[in-house]
Amino acid sequence: MNEMDAHLLVVDDDERIRSLLKKFLMRHGFLVTTARDAAHARRVLAGLEFDLIVLDVMMPGEDGMALTRSLRESLQTPILLLTAKGETDNRIEGLEAGADDYLPKPFEPKELLLRINAILRRMPDTSAADTAPKVLSLGAIRYDMERSEMWQGDELVRLTATEVHLMKIFSAQPGIALSRAKLVEELGRDRGQAQERAVDVQITRLRRKIESDPKQPQYLQTVRGAGYMLAPD
């Protein structure tokens, strides 16, 4: 995806922050729409499609974490959470809710920009010319490597941007164990135990979409002492 063409939704109850973020992001070529709370965001999302949602967690009423969980039931648009809570457990909670990334306040606007662009680069380019699809079979699941799409029968399995990126990484090297550190590097994240734990969370979520029994994974396996491995049929 061309980041400069992207339409962003910024959701924050602080009018000053909304205004500053909108001006900053528009200066960097984005189309930006804002919403003041979860209810307002839902109304906007009902009528418009977005390439990424920048969502504040600490809002009155329905907070950003609850909104993320709700949106993930029907929406695969990437979500970047903003919050004053920067502890590891809060980051993990955000990822478990379905967010693609997590940025604690206060933050440098440049870091926000880098993270937004990194997420958008992980999204598949739907305008790419169609070629003969390469499909991996994972039991009842089919993964189209060319389109970065996962199917169960005739139903499209919704994947987040991070899950799309993980499937690209694994499907490019089926049958090969990849360490958590390697996955963190491939995802473009900063190194460290917190990010490796975040990868574990993403793997757990991805298994729920692939495996008939996520607690005994057959296709997205844990290789003791080595990491994770995709084992298609």
Side-chain angles (χ1 to χ4, degrees), residues 33-214:
T33 298
T34 62
R36 61 184 172 273
D37 55 26
H40 188 192
R42 288 180 185 280
R43 292 195 296 272
V44 172
L45 287 164
L48 293 172
E49 292 187 0
F50 294 90
D51 298 294
L52 184 141
I53 301 170
V54 179
L55 177 58
D56 184 37
V57 169
M58 304 300 288
M59 296 188 296
E62 184 180 15
D63 66 18
M65 210 76 78
L67 179 59
T68 297
R69 292 191 187 92
S70 177
L71 292 178
R72 275 292 169 258
E73 295 176 3
S74 60
L75 197 68
Q76 57 184 347
T77 304
I79 297 174
L80 172 62
L81 291 178
L82 304 177
T83 180
K85 296 181 178 179
E87 294 80 4
T88 298
D89 288 346
N90 297 122
R91 292 199 297 270
I92 297 299
E93 183 184 359
L95 294 171
E96 287 179 331
D100 294 275
D101 205 350
Y102 192 102
L103 185 60
K105 296 179 179 179
F107 55 83
E108 290 292 332
K110 184 177 180 180
E111 182 177 4
L112 173 64
L113 184 66
L114 289 172
R115 289 186 183 233
I116 288 173
N117 286 333
I119 292 172
L120 293 176
R121 282 194 296 271
R122 296 201 295 265
M123 294 301 291
D125 185 358
T126 56
S127 65
D130 291 339
T131 59
K134 297 179 182 178
V135 178
L136 294 180
S137 177
L138 307 166
I141 297 294
R142 303 188 324 277
Y143 179 69
D144 187 327
M145 296 172 62
E146 295 291 341
R147 297 176 178 271
S148 299
E149 291 178 348
M150 186 177 290
W151 295 83
Q152 183 169 16
D154 295 329
E155 295 292 325
L156 181 65
V157 178
R158 296 182 180 276
L159 298 176
T160 66
T162 300
E163 289 166 351
V164 166
H165 199 183
L166 280 172
M167 284 303 300
K168 283 185 177 181
I169 296 167
F170 282 121
S171 62
Q173 304 177 73
I176 297 176
L178 302 175
S179 68
R180 292 192 301 173
K182 177 65 174 176
L183 292 171
V184 168
E185 179 183 347
E186 291 284 343
L187 288 169
R189 306 285 177 81
D190 296 331
R191 296 180 180 179
Q193 286 189 336
Q195 290 296 342
E196 291 188 11
R197 284 185 59 193
V199 165
D200 291 337
V201 172
Q202 299 289 357
I203 293 293
T204 297
R205 290 177 52 213
L206 190 53
R207 279 175 171 163
R208 292 173 188 155
K209 299 179 180 182
I210 295 176
E211 307 284 352
S212 56
D213 183 359

